[in-house]
Amino acid sequence: MIQEVHHRVKNNLQTIAALLRMQARRAHDNGTQQALHEAIARILSVAVIHEFLSLDESQSINIKDVCQRIVGQARQVIAPGTHVDFTIEGPSIYLPSQQATACALVINELVSNALKHAFPDNRSGEISICFRLDGDDWLILTVADTGVGMPPDLDFNNTGTLGLQLVNMLTLQLNGQISMEGATGTAITIRARRS
């Protein structure tokens, strides 16, 4: 019964995403289209979680599998035709659904942000996503790119953009800590306690 509920939620989220796609096609300015595409990517990230939950009775999710799907979706929705390569590294790590949902949204935001800002003028480059465990209690997630880097005066913990605000909020929800390095490209690392 629970799996059927997750299946129905996934289908409803995909329907909402399809309606937003139709609206994005009718929008006349780039800002509105971009905002709708970002909303679509967020909705589809949550739909991926429900899809995995509908297939697995254990209610734990391999975050690496989720990441592969989210990367594919972000590439199609946010930056179709981009010249950016992706690598996903690390072992299979299973997380409970609530923690997996927060991680999925963080990955979506960081990947989308890199696709939108790190490679201007259709530059090529690479985005890497790495998972690892630190002992039994901590998950380490790093999203790094070879792009132009963050502005030197950017306060990552106090930004006006919705995407980075979400990353900070979700990191708190994960009982985690966030750090950023930006010498060449940008690398954002989240260290979160496993549930």
Side-chain angles (χ1 to χ4, degrees):
M1 181 70 166
I2 299 249
Q3 288 174 282
E4 178 62 24
V5 169
H6 286 302
H7 180 71
R8 289 184 183 199
V9 170
K10 176 206 71 162
N11 287 345
N12 288 338
L13 290 169
Q14 288 177 334
T15 300
I16 293 167
L19 291 169
L20 289 175
R21 270 195 201 98
M22 290 171 59
Q23 189 66 47
R25 283 195 291 269
R26 296 176 60 99
H28 297 296
D29 66 282
N30 288 337
T32 301
Q33 287 179 342
Q34 186 67 38
L36 288 168
H37 287 304
E38 290 171 11
I40 291 165
R42 291 176 183 125
I43 290 167
L44 290 176
S45 295
V46 177
V48 167
I49 296 292
H50 285 282
E51 180 178 354
F52 278 98
L53 288 171
S54 73
L55 300 173
D56 186 356
E57 292 180 16
S58 72
Q59 300 299 297
S60 65
I61 300 169
N62 183 346
I63 195 64
K64 188 173 182 180
D65 291 343
V66 169
C67 182
Q68 289 170 336
R69 290 284 301 281
I70 288 172
V71 164
Q73 286 177 172
R75 176 179 245 160
Q76 288 179 344
V77 173
I78 301 295
T82 184
H83 300 290
V84 177
D85 294 323
F86 284 88
T87 59
I88 301 171
E89 301 173 355
S92 294
I93 299 172
Y94 288 83
L95 300 174
S97 60
Q98 188 172 4
Q99 195 171 31
T101 301
C103 281
L105 288 167
V106 165
I107 293 163
N108 176 71
E109 293 304 324
L110 294 176
V111 167
S112 297
N113 197 53
L115 284 171
K116 287 186 299 183
H117 302 295
F119 307 102
D121 304 320
N122 209 21
R123 293 183 191 181
S124 61
E126 183 177 342
I127 298 172
S128 63
I129 303 151
C130 179
F131 300 96
R132 65 183 175 87
L133 295 175
D134 181 4
D136 292 332
D137 296 334
W138 294 93
L139 168 69
I140 312 296
L141 162 65
T142 301
V143 178
D145 65 66
T146 60
V148 296
M150 293 273 199
D153 59 342
L154 178 74
D155 179 2
F156 189 83
N157 295 308
N158 189 22
T159 177
T161 65
L162 177 60
L164 294 180
Q165 287 176 352
L166 277 173
V167 169
N168 282 300
M169 188 174 64
L170 290 163
T171 301
L172 288 175
Q173 183 180 327
L174 289 165
N175 296 316
Q177 302 162 337
I178 189 166
S179 62
M180 181 182 75
E181 296 175 26
T184 54
T186 302
I188 296 172
T189 299
I190 294 172
R191 186 174 189 265
R193 187 177 290 278
R194 292 179 72 195
S195 298

